[in-house]
Amino acid sequence: MLSGNLFGLEIEDLVSFVASIGEKPFHGRQIYNWIYKQRIFDFAQMGNLSKNLRENLKQKASVCLPIIAKKERSGDGTIKLLLEMSDGQRIETVYIPDGDRHTACLSSQVGCALKCVYCATGKIGFKRNLSCGEIVAQLFCLESVVGKKMTNVVMMGMGEPLMNCEALFKAIRLMADPDGIGFSKRKISISTSGWLPGIKELINVNPRVKLALSLNATTDKFHAELMPIVARYPIRDLISVSAQYARISGYPLTVGYLLLAGKNDSEEDARRLVKLLNGRDAKVNLMEYNEIDAEVKPSTSKSVERFVEIVGNAGITVTMRTSKGESISGACGQLAAGYQEKFN
């Protein structure tokens, strides 16, 4: 029966565990409340549990978060944590402040299999998927360091979230449960590099959270150069299926587009992007490239301004997303969890 670390278990699993150790099942709901709503992980502090139950739990289970191996803070307030899992694998997770908005950027995998040329995580390769508990634990680790509850979650850290759908969807259920952590689903976003099977699974499950498609190219040829694994799926198919999820979830289609000098930032690229999104309820988030050891460079301010002008004049909502945490290698594409020595 279930035992060991209780963190990451849904309420039904906690009820089953409590029953399996000879206790009344309703205590599972109490423990669920203590862990996820109250953020209490020490059985001794769970005041509405009997002394005997607390002792029983202490002998047979625990509530453990990853070890915070390192903390880094940038001048803009961004905080990056290096977390060590129980098996010694390491991931990074990031807190991004923006006024009253406190965003947790969570990882879904140790490493990544997609090998996108602009991303440090892809250069370390794929190690393993994270469990539901390891995904949600990042949120609590960040809150413990920041001293504030997070208001938003973006699945935009290490790994491709939609290659880890089972754990991802379970984590979303935990985070969005009003009897637990209590996030509004409108405050949870999944960023995908374009893993089409995962987007289709998202449509089947429809967790009603936001989806952002990292497109970064307007031709299949350049898509294959930049994002070789997901480029097996044509750009038009990725947009079409992502737009289908956007419709059923009730949100606009959000397209992320990383601007790279001389690669995908021309006026022709801007016009092709407009054509690809024509007739769709879409918005575009332009992103600046955060440099790693790769043979691509960020666009010039002049190219960015012209790109924004062309897309905006076509009636598409377009924003230039401000990068934060670059000084601590905590910005998009820079997370590598201490494995940098493998590709420096």
Side-chain angles (χ1 to χ4, degrees):
M1 191 40 113
L2 294 168
S3 61
N5 187 6
L6 301 185
F7 193 89
L9 296 187
E10 295 182 271
I11 195 163
E12 296 83 1
D13 292 332
L14 279 169
V15 168
S16 295
F17 169 72
V18 168
S20 77
I21 63 172
E23 302 288 351
K24 293 180 179 179
F26 78 88
H27 291 307
R29 296 183 179 275
Q30 293 175 315
I31 296 167
Y32 183 87
N33 179 277
W34 280 113
I35 294 173
Y36 299 114
K37 188 173 285 291
Q38 307 299 328
R39 279 33 171 204
I40 297 296
F41 310 133
D42 183 352
F43 297 129
Q45 297 181 35
M46 298 181 181
N48 61 353
L49 305 184
S50 70
K51 183 178 180 181
N52 287 340
L53 173 55
R54 282 180 277 165
E55 186 60 32
N56 197 9
L57 289 168
K58 184 178 178 180
Q59 292 176 7
K60 297 175 179 175
S62 61
V63 183
C64 299
L65 299 182
I67 296 169
I68 300 176
K70 188 177 182 180
K71 309 173 194 175
E72 294 180 85
R73 183 189 298 264
S74 73
D76 58 25
T78 301
I79 295 174
K80 183 177 72 171
L81 302 183
L82 175 65
L83 302 180
E84 186 169 308
M85 307 294 106
S86 60
D87 64 353
Q89 293 285 2
R90 294 172 292 171
I91 61 168
E92 289 177 334
T93 189
V94 180
Y95 161 67
I96 307 167
D98 184 12
D100 293 333
R101 182 183 175 107
H102 306 288
T103 298
C105 178
L106 308 184
S107 295
S108 55
Q109 298 177 315
V110 183
C112 184
L114 295 187
K115 300 180 181 179
C116 302
V117 301
Y118 54 83
C119 181
T121 310
K123 291 183 179 294
I124 67 177
F126 174 74
K127 309 297 181 181
R128 68 169 174 84
N129 284 327
L130 296 180
S131 68
C132 163
E134 290 169 332
I135 293 172
V136 177
Q138 297 169 63
L139 176 68
F140 285 21
C141 288
L142 288 170
E143 289 184 346
S144 71
V145 170
V146 175
K148 298 175 182 177
K149 285 192 175 183
M150 299 294 104
T151 62
N152 297 73
V153 169
V154 291
M155 297 302 308
M156 201 180 291
M158 298 177 67
E160 166 53 54
L162 294 181
M163 294 184 85
N164 188 15
C165 281
E166 183 178 354
L168 173 67
F169 295 157
K170 186 177 179 182
I172 289 170
R173 290 197 300 270
L174 272 180
M175 291 188 287
D177 184 357
D179 293 326
I181 299 173
F183 269 94
S184 165
K185 290 184 178 181
R186 296 180 59 84
K187 303 292 186 180
I188 301 174
S189 299
I190 299 170
S191 177
T192 180
S193 296
W195 185 247
L196 192 60
I199 302 172
K200 290 179 177 178
E201 185 63 18
L202 198 63
I203 291 171
N204 292 334
V205 174
N206 189 17
R208 299 189 66 82
V209 298
K210 295 179 179 179
L211 176 69
L213 172 65
S214 294
L215 194 62
N216 307 331
T218 60
T219 67
D220 289 327
K221 183 178 183 298
F222 181 61
H223 197 217
E225 295 176 18
L226 190 66
M227 306 166 76
I229 306 300
V230 295
R232 68 184 70 177
Y233 309 116
I235 287 174
R236 289 188 180 276
D237 290 351
L238 291 175
I239 292 174
S240 176
V241 178
S242 297
Q244 184 181 347
Y245 173 73
R247 286 194 299 273
I248 67 169
S249 64
Y251 304 112
L253 168 62
T254 299
V255 172
Y257 195 92
L258 181 67
L259 288 166
L260 301 170
K263 300 289 187 180
N264 65 353
D265 62 347
S266 68
E267 294 185 8
E268 186 179 2
D269 280 301
R271 295 189 183 97
R272 276 196 296 261
L273 183 59
V274 167
K275 188 174 181 180
L276 286 166
L277 299 179
N278 184 45
R280 303 186 186 279
D281 181 16
K283 63 178 183 178
V284 174
N285 288 333
L286 298 177
M287 298 172 289
E288 55 185 314
Y289 171 56
N290 301 299
E291 295 193 58
I292 62 168
D293 185 18
E295 294 180 3
V296 288
K297 298 296 179 184
S299 294
T300 64
S301 57
K302 183 177 180 180
S303 295
V304 171
E305 290 171 6
R306 184 60 180 146
F307 203 99
V308 170
E309 181 182 17
I310 292 170
V311 176
N313 285 346
I316 298 172
T317 300
V318 57
T319 58
M320 186 69 199
R321 213 173 73 190
T322 302
S323 181
K324 291 189 174 184
E326 187 174 5
S327 65
I328 56 171
S329 295
C332 287
Q334 293 186 319
L335 301 187
Y339 293 97
Q340 291 94 329
E341 66 274 6
K342 294 189 177 183
F343 59 88
N344 276 351

